[in-house]
Amino acid sequence: MNKARFLVVALLFAAGLAACGENAATAKNAAVTQDAAETETGSAPDASAAAAQADTATANQAAAPAAPETAPATAQAATIAALPLKRGYYVASDTPCGQASNATVMLLRREGIGGARDFCEFKNIEQTGPNTYRVTEACGDFQGNASPETSVTTYTLEGDAAFTSKSADGWERSARYCAQSNMPPDFRANDISDVTD
């Protein structure tokens, strides 16, 4: 009777370890301990008892709740040096390149983007998605003496030659790259290589 009780306790212990998610080595150690006990007593359980005990262990494992899955880590925004856009002239999406004016043109430079009256220096650029970027900008007006104001703008890129930008304040603009040779004569005459190369 003691031998049978010991075997049941050993199997329940092994099943409990498996149900609790313990590693296979621990369960194997319990089985080795059981084998050693059987060797000391000089006998082994019959095949039907072993099968019944194995069925009990399997049932215990099936009844055990699955271990909770670890939630995927939130993707961290990666800081990058520059927006992956061609540098040069960008014209409002609804304006043909050849009809661009100071009101519809922006110049994307190494360090930021600006129009005829203002300039926004890129202070920090973080990639937040496959084609989205959160940009901290310091924007100033060429006409005034006020210090640049810092704000955050989200840029959504379409390839490397078009974007839509949305500010935290709610304004939005879309523009696309226009080769300098396709711009009106005044823009074609400008040497922009010192700020775009």
Side-chain angles (χ1 to χ4, degrees):
M1 186 68 176
N2 283 340
K3 183 170 39 172
R5 186 178 303 144
F6 175 78
L7 290 176
V8 170
V9 170
L11 281 175
L12 288 175
F13 178 71
L17 288 176
C20 292
E22 293 294 325
N23 64 31
T26 304
K28 184 176 180 183
N29 288 341
V32 168
T33 303
Q34 175 188 347
D35 289 343
E38 291 168 1
T39 303
E40 280 182 23
T41 61
S43 65
D46 63 15
S48 62
Q53 292 166 350
D55 288 344
T56 303
T58 303
N60 286 340
Q61 284 179 332
E69 291 185 19
T70 304
T74 303
Q76 297 294 322
T79 300
I80 60 172
L83 287 173
L85 288 168
K86 293 180 182 179
R87 292 187 192 132
Y89 287 118
Y90 281 77
V91 176
S93 295
D94 58 354
T95 303
C97 295
Q99 295 176 15
S101 67
N102 283 341
T104 60
V105 171
M106 292 168 280
L107 179 60
L108 178 64
R109 308 173 188 198
R110 284 186 304 274
E111 69 279 356
I113 192 167
R117 300 183 56 160
D118 61 358
F119 179 72
C120 292
E121 181 181 2
F122 298 153
K123 295 295 192 178
N124 189 49
I125 303 171
E126 297 174 298
Q127 184 169 4
T128 58
N131 62 338
T132 56
Y133 300 83
R134 182 174 46 236
V135 180
T136 303
E137 303 174 316
C139 299
D141 190 335
F142 293 143
Q143 310 300 320
N145 294 327
S147 298
E149 293 183 15
T150 301
S151 62
V152 175
T153 302
T154 300
Y155 284 78
T156 303
L157 278 50
E158 297 173 33
D160 66 350
F163 68 85
T164 298
S165 59
K166 295 180 184 179
S167 75
D169 299 336
W171 60 260
E172 181 177 330
R173 65 181 172 196
S174 293
R176 73 194 180 299
Y177 176 80
C178 286
Q180 191 170 8
S181 59
N182 295 334
M183 298 288 286
D186 288 346
F187 294 99
R188 288 197 306 260
N190 291 334
D191 181 5
I192 60 173
S193 61
D194 61 329
V195 294
T196 57
D197 291 342

